[in-house]
C-alpha cells in the first residue's frame, strides 16, 4: 500500500521560510521521481517542483530561485524548502509520485499572511 505523508505546513509571514517534508512508503523510493504540487484557494492544482530518481530538479517559473526540492533516499523523504514566501504561495501543498499509477498525499496547508 502506497502512502505519502506530508508535514511542515503552517502560517508564516511574508518573507519567511518553511520546509515541507513528504515521507513515502510502499514504493521503491529511490527509483521514483517525486513531485510537489500546490492548489491555491479557488484555483487548479499546479506543479511546483520535481526531483528525479537521479536527483535532477525542475521548478515552476513562479518559484525558481526561492524554492528548493531535495530528497533523502535513506529516509524515503522528499523535501521542499520554501524561502521568501509571499501571499501568492498560500495553498495546500501535495506530494505526488507515479509508479504504474499516480499517488497523492493528503496535503499540507501553507498560509502566508501578516
Amino acid at each position: 500500500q502506497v502512502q505519502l505523508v506530508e508535514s511542515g505546513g503552517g502560517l508564516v509571514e511574508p518573507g519567511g521560510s518553511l520546509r515541507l517534508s513528504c515521507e513515502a512508503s510502499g514504493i521503491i523510493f529511490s527509483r521514483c521521481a517525486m513531485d510537489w504540487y500546490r492548489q491555491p484557494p479557488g484555483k487548479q492544482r499546479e506543479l511546483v517542483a520535481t526531483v528525479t530518481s537521479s536527483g535532477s530538479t525542475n521548478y515552476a517559473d513562479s518559484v525558481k530561485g526561492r524554492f528548493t526540492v531535495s530528497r533523502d533516499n535513506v529516509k524515503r523523504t522528499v523535501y521542499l524548502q520554501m524561502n521568501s514566501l509571499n501571499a501568492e504561495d498560500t495553498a495546500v501543498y501535495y506530494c505526488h509520485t507515479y509508479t504504474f499509477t499516480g499517488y497523492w498525499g493528503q496535503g499540507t496547508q501553507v498560509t502566508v499572511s501578516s
Side-chain angles (χ1 to χ4, degrees):
Q1 180 182 358
V2 177
Q3 280 194 310
L4 302 174
V5 180
E6 300 101 333
S7 61
L11 174 64
V12 62
E13 292 187 350
S17 299
L18 280 175
R19 188 176 83 153
L20 307 182
S21 301
C22 171
E23 184 172 359
S25 59
I27 58 173
I28 304 176
F29 182 80
S30 61
R31 296 183 184 178
C32 294
M34 300 298 297
D35 311 305
W36 284 99
Y37 282 76
R38 68 185 180 186
Q39 187 163 17
K43 297 183 179 180
Q44 290 189 336
R45 197 171 295 189
E46 60 184 7
L47 179 62
V48 174
T50 296
V51 57
T52 68
S53 58
S54 63
S56 298
T57 58
N58 208 3
Y59 299 92
D61 287 343
S62 59
V63 306
K64 279 181 182 176
R66 300 188 299 122
F67 290 13
T68 302
V69 61
S70 61
R71 64 190 299 154
D72 184 330
N73 288 341
V74 173
K75 294 183 178 180
R76 306 171 61 83
T77 299
V78 59
Y79 303 97
L80 186 67
Q81 177 66 45
M82 307 185 295
N83 299 328
S84 302
L85 286 161
N86 57 61
E88 288 67 43
D89 298 315
T90 294
V92 179
Y93 285 72
Y94 297 92
C95 183
H96 171 269
T97 192
Y98 184 92
T99 173
F100 300 109
T101 188
Y103 297 96
W104 295 92
Q106 83 285 358
T108 186
Q109 176 71 47
V110 172
T111 302
V112 184
S113 176
S114 55

